[in-house]
Amino acid sequence: MDTSNKVAQYAPIVQSLLAEQQWLAQKPEEYQKIAIADKDNHHYQLLAMGWITPIRYVDNLLIHIQIKPDGKVWLLENNTEMRVAEELVERGVPRMDIVLGFHPLQYRGLTGYAVR
């Protein structure tokens, strides 16, 4: 498959995954998850921010995914219990097109996903 076709195919998969996660387990009104999409550069993030208790404010990056121009989907951050890479596979992204970018290069070959 052409790399531009991969980018066009994978972007809606990533966006829908983050949009679904945005609405799961919402807390009080002062706390929210926000899905952010930089569609020009293909960076997709899920943030958690707000007051989770009357004295505790959070502003955390939960998930960060980038689709590179070569069509590889780089999982750059996953601060959730969700198995994001497995979820992407279930939605149609082949393992050979997913890179666990938060692992050092020398260990990526052991993950069952792409090295780069």
Side-chain angles (χ1 to χ4, degrees):
M1 177 185 308
D2 178 321
T3 57
S4 62
N5 288 341
K6 285 184 179 183
V7 173
Q9 179 184 357
Y10 298 159
I13 293 171
V14 170
Q15 290 174 47
S16 69
L17 173 65
L18 296 185
E20 289 170 17
Q21 292 303 309
Q22 176 179 355
W23 299 110
L24 292 179
Q26 288 286 13
K27 306 241 181 192
E29 290 180 13
E30 297 83 21
Y31 172 87
Q32 58 185 323
K33 292 180 190 171
I34 302 167
I36 298 174
D38 174 357
K39 294 178 183 178
D40 293 333
N41 298 302
H42 299 288
H43 280 272
Y44 305 93
Q45 297 181 336
L46 183 65
L47 305 175
M49 59 185 285
W51 293 96
I52 57 173
T53 71
I55 59 171
R56 184 158 182 244
Y57 184 83
V58 297
D59 185 3
N60 296 325
L61 175 62
L62 299 177
I63 299 170
H64 182 183
I65 299 171
Q66 180 186 16
I67 304 173
K68 301 264 183 148
D70 65 0
K72 299 287 184 166
V73 177
W74 283 66
L75 180 55
L76 300 170
E77 191 79 47
N78 181 13
N79 291 314
T80 70
E81 294 180 9
M82 182 176 64
R83 298 177 67 190
V84 175
E86 285 299 316
E87 186 65 35
L88 290 169
V89 169
E90 289 176 17
R91 292 171 184 242
V93 180
R95 286 179 181 276
M96 65 182 196
D97 283 345
I98 299 172
V99 178
L100 302 182
F102 52 79
H103 285 306
L105 180 61
Q106 65 268 26
Y107 298 121
R108 290 185 203 148
L110 305 172
T111 66
Y113 295 96
V115 173
R116 51 173 107 193

